[in-house]
Amino acid sequence: MSKHITDSGIILNANYSQPDHAIEQPGAFPFTRGIHASMYRDKLWTMRQYAGFSTAEESNKRYKYLLQNGVMGLSVAFDLPTQIGYDSDHELAEGEVGKVGVAIDSIEDMSILFDGIKLEEISTSMTINATGYILLSLYIALAKKQGADIKKISGTIQNDILKEYAARGTYIYPPKPSMKIITDIFEYCSNEVPKWNTISISGYHIREAGSTAVQELAFTLANGKAYVEAAQKKGMDINVFGKRLSFFFNAHNNFLEEIAKFRAARRMWAKIMKELGATDERAMQLRFHTQTGGATLTAQQPKNNISRVTLQAMAAVLGGTQSLHTNGYDEALSLPTEEAARIALRTQQIIGYESGVSSVVDPFGGSYFMEALTDEIEHKANDLILKIDKMGGAVNAVEKGFIQEEIARSSYQYQKDIESKEKIIVGVNDYLIEGEKTEPVFKIDESIRLVQAEKLKKLRAERDNDATRQNIIDIQTSAKEDRNIMPYVIKAVESKATLGEIADSLREIYGEHNG
């Protein structure tokens, strides 16, 4: 009886044949084997640790701890009120301030968050979407305040709103105005902040919501096509903005499938960009960040998660990632403790410096099995993208609920397989321990909202409120007149307008999406 060897249900029998295409070279179109000819032989991937909690002061301490322990770039997590455009003192923020990330309400918080850290010398990734335009404006304003040349600052904002409608839910505005904001960011950064990655097109949250690897790949690349086409309609040059696009993928438990997924992603994106008109090969290269699978972490026997994270991180490296975050083993229970964060970082360092895999470019290249699996994943993902294209693209597919329904179906099947023991999760549905001891957890103090509210009260009392109000009006005017909003938002945050005030100003113009 044939057995699925992947979570996507792909079956390859023992007699799979050599693929009929020639084995490609690393660093050459369509980049199946990597975007650089030498990959990690010259430089390891960027080792990041996703962190952010409580206040800017507390998160700053964690960033400095991580930098002292060898991280190469920072990755900022924001709390839910920040993600959906509410100041910490808003009634809808109650109970959520500082819980799943850091609370950022104004330029004052951003200054504290990066106190003692020179933005011109560090690459910063910010996982932010609906309010990405505000957080990027705060970051640029702070860089200018530090005396940095903003043309030299580097980093990434996630800025991928389509996957929020499909899989995650932290959206504010309807899809079409949200796409307009994203293309404003593309345009502004192309001219003013050329080293900034203006979007990280995310499959991570699609996978976390329950998709298969094939669906993660197909829906992510379909979203990517939608962003590219929106920018082209605005008259932007695909060979310019295409170089600043990046992707964000999940590394799940099926080791071989994940490696093949990453290889297929590069090949597919190179072909998509070429078909859309790119002629510069650098604009065809898929660069991506990987985070190990949060949904794979178990609260039961949590130290088993160290093994899961190691396998997932190794798959990401063998698949050719450009940067990597490894989850803490205790994240199914709470925010990671310092010990868990350190072990997660050490996992990357051991892979990079001790395993030997960084000395070989695409070690699986030419393997009959890996090449066949890469081809099969590409084939199945292309079939899904074709369905989305026939609906008119990713925006229409989201509005029709197609992507959401596909993910829900896969998630339901995955859960059924666990309950029937068709799929074994060690420590959850088999190999249990009686009387298992609980791990210590990291909790956030509820008083943080009061601390943030006091900061906001002081800010509003001391700033020039007339200037702030005028800058808010200018944002609304630019939106009504279909001008690029970014210069106006930067000016507003410099005048100490708060995140909530800016988000609300565009709620008045664009309305809110009710999914």
Side-chain angles (χ1 to χ4, degrees):
M1 178 179 172
S2 297
K3 186 175 182 181
H4 293 171
I5 58 152
T6 75
D7 293 333
S8 299
I10 294 172
I11 302 171
L12 292 177
N13 64 42
N15 299 314
Y16 48 82
S17 59
Q18 182 177 8
D20 56 13
H21 55 76
I23 300 303
E24 300 142 2
Q25 293 302 309
F29 180 89
F31 311 107
T32 311
R33 302 192 62 199
I35 62 171
H36 303 298
S38 56
M39 284 307 289
Y40 309 130
R41 290 173 64 85
D42 293 333
K43 183 183 178 183
L44 293 180
W45 61 93
T46 301
M47 297 182 189
R48 298 186 187 275
Q49 285 306 116
Y50 185 49
F53 57 88
S54 183
T55 60
E57 290 89 344
E58 290 303 312
S59 291
N60 177 262
K61 289 176 188 175
R62 177 64 67 89
Y63 296 154
K64 288 176 177 174
Y65 171 81
L66 290 169
L67 288 166
Q68 288 165 4
N69 278 275
V71 297
M72 302 170 182
L74 297 176
S75 187
V76 184
F78 298 96
D79 71 358
L80 283 174
T82 302
Q83 291 181 48
I84 55 176
Y86 293 120
D87 288 332
S88 296
D89 59 356
H90 193 285
E91 61 182 3
L92 293 179
E94 188 171 355
E96 295 294 344
V97 177
K99 286 292 179 69
V100 298
V102 62
I104 299 293
D105 293 318
S106 71
I107 187 70
E108 301 293 320
D109 286 329
M110 197 61 121
S111 299
I112 295 165
L113 186 67
F114 291 102
D115 180 51
I117 300 169
K118 292 184 178 178
L119 301 191
E120 204 172 297
E121 297 176 3
I122 193 80
S123 168
T124 303
S125 172
M126 296 190 283
T127 303
I128 195 74
N129 297 285
T131 54
Y133 69 102
I134 306 174
L135 271 299
L136 177 57
S137 296
L138 286 165
Y139 195 88
I140 291 168
L142 178 59
K144 288 164 67 177
K145 190 176 174 184
Q146 287 186 354
D149 179 352
I150 64 169
K151 292 191 182 297
K152 293 181 180 177
I153 62 172
S154 64
T156 305
I157 47 170
Q158 191 164 104
N159 199 30
D160 175 6
I161 202 64
L162 290 177
K163 66 93 177 48
E164 295 295 329
Y165 303 118
R168 192 162 175 267
T170 61
Y171 45 72
I172 302 174
Y173 317 114
K176 287 183 173 62
S178 293
M179 293 292 282
K180 190 267 181 189
I181 292 172
I182 287 168
T183 55
D184 281 358
I185 294 169
F186 286 3
E187 184 178 55
Y188 178 83
C189 289
S190 289
N191 297 322
E192 305 296 333
V193 198
K195 293 180 72 175
W196 195 268
N197 297 321
T198 49
I199 193 167
S200 178
I201 304 157
S202 176
Y204 184 85
H205 303 95
I206 290 170
R207 193 65 176 280
E208 291 289 284
S211 80
T212 65
V214 165
Q215 289 171 330
E216 177 191 359
L217 183 52
F219 299 154
T220 304
L221 298 190
N223 287 347
K225 280 182 69 175
Y227 295 125
V228 171
E229 288 166 346
Q232 287 179 306
K233 285 178 183 175
K234 201 165 184 174
M236 297 177 66
D237 185 348
I238 190 172
N239 288 316
V240 176
F241 75 81
K243 297 172 190 174
R244 301 320 311 170
L245 304 177
S246 66
F247 288 79
F248 174 26
F249 288 115
N250 196 300
H252 221 264
N253 279 336
N254 194 305
F255 185 70
L256 297 171
E257 181 179 36
E258 293 302 291
I259 296 168
K261 178 188 77 180
F262 298 132
R263 300 173 88 253
R266 276 191 297 272
R267 183 193 295 166
M268 292 173 67
W269 186 244
K271 292 176 181 177
I272 287 168
M273 289 296 275
K274 193 170 185 177
E275 287 168 5
L276 290 172
T279 55
D280 187 328
E281 285 200 346
R282 288 179 299 163
M284 303 176 200
Q285 293 176 343
L286 182 145
R287 298 167 298 117
F288 68 100
H289 169 71
T290 310
Q291 182 174 338
T292 56
T296 70
L297 303 179
T298 64
Q300 302 91 329
Q301 301 177 36
K303 286 182 179 166
N304 291 347
N305 294 327
I306 297 173
S307 299
R308 293 186 178 101
V309 168
T310 303
L311 278 170
Q312 293 162 8
M314 184 70 88
V317 170
L318 292 171
T321 193
Q322 276 59 69
S323 73
L324 177 62
H325 163 83
T326 33
N327 288 330
Y329 70 83
D330 56 359
E331 288 188 51
L333 300 167
S334 69
L335 290 167
T337 58
E338 280 197 355
E339 179 196 38
R342 185 177 63 252
I343 290 171
L345 176 59
R346 294 290 183 254
T347 299
Q348 291 200 54
Q349 291 165 336
I350 289 166
I351 292 171
Y353 298 109
E354 297 185 28
S355 72
V357 298
S358 60
S359 300
V360 184
V361 180
D362 187 30
F364 279 97
S367 154
Y368 288 0
F369 170 78
M370 185 55 68
E371 298 296 349
L373 182 55
T374 302
D375 289 351
E376 187 65 16
I377 288 174
E378 178 185 17
H379 173 72
K380 287 185 176 294
N382 274 330
D383 283 348
L384 268 176
I385 291 174
L386 185 60
K387 285 184 181 179
I388 291 168
D389 287 344
K390 286 179 178 176
M391 294 177 193
V395 176
N396 286 347
V398 165
E399 289 178 339
K400 291 176 181 178
F402 170 75
I403 293 175
Q404 298 93 311
E405 288 171 9
E406 289 289 306
I407 295 170
R409 191 177 298 112
S410 295
S411 178
Y412 177 65
Q413 185 60 52
Y414 188 83
Q415 186 59 38
K416 280 179 65 179
D417 289 347
I418 291 172
E419 290 173 3
S420 67
K421 289 196 174 183
E422 177 74 19
K423 179 175 290 295
I424 298 298
I425 306 296
V426 175
V428 175
N429 63 354
D430 210 342
Y431 307 106
L432 311 180
I433 295 174
E434 288 187 20
E436 184 181 352
K437 293 180 181 177
T438 58
E439 291 281 330
V441 296
F442 182 23
K443 291 187 176 178
I444 298 298
D445 192 328
E446 292 288 347
S447 67
I448 286 164
R449 184 166 184 258
L450 299 176
V451 171
Q452 287 299 114
E454 280 301 311
K455 284 186 189 176
L456 283 164
K457 184 178 179 181
K458 185 171 184 287
L459 176 90
R460 292 175 182 132
E462 295 178 352
R463 71 187 181 185
D464 182 341
N465 282 298
D466 289 338
T468 303
R469 272 192 293 272
Q470 185 56 54
N471 288 328
I472 292 287
I473 291 168
D474 290 344
I475 293 171
Q476 293 180 312
T477 302
S478 69
K480 288 175 186 175
E481 296 178 356
D482 204 29
R483 284 183 273 140
N484 192 310
I485 65 170
M486 285 299 292
Y488 302 97
V489 178
I490 292 169
K491 191 175 178 183
V493 299
E494 288 175 330
S495 71
K496 301 187 178 181
T498 69
L499 174 133
E501 289 166 344
I502 295 169
D504 283 346
S505 74
L506 290 184
R507 280 185 174 97
E508 291 178 18
I509 306 300
Y510 295 141
E512 290 188 271
H513 179 70
N514 297 310

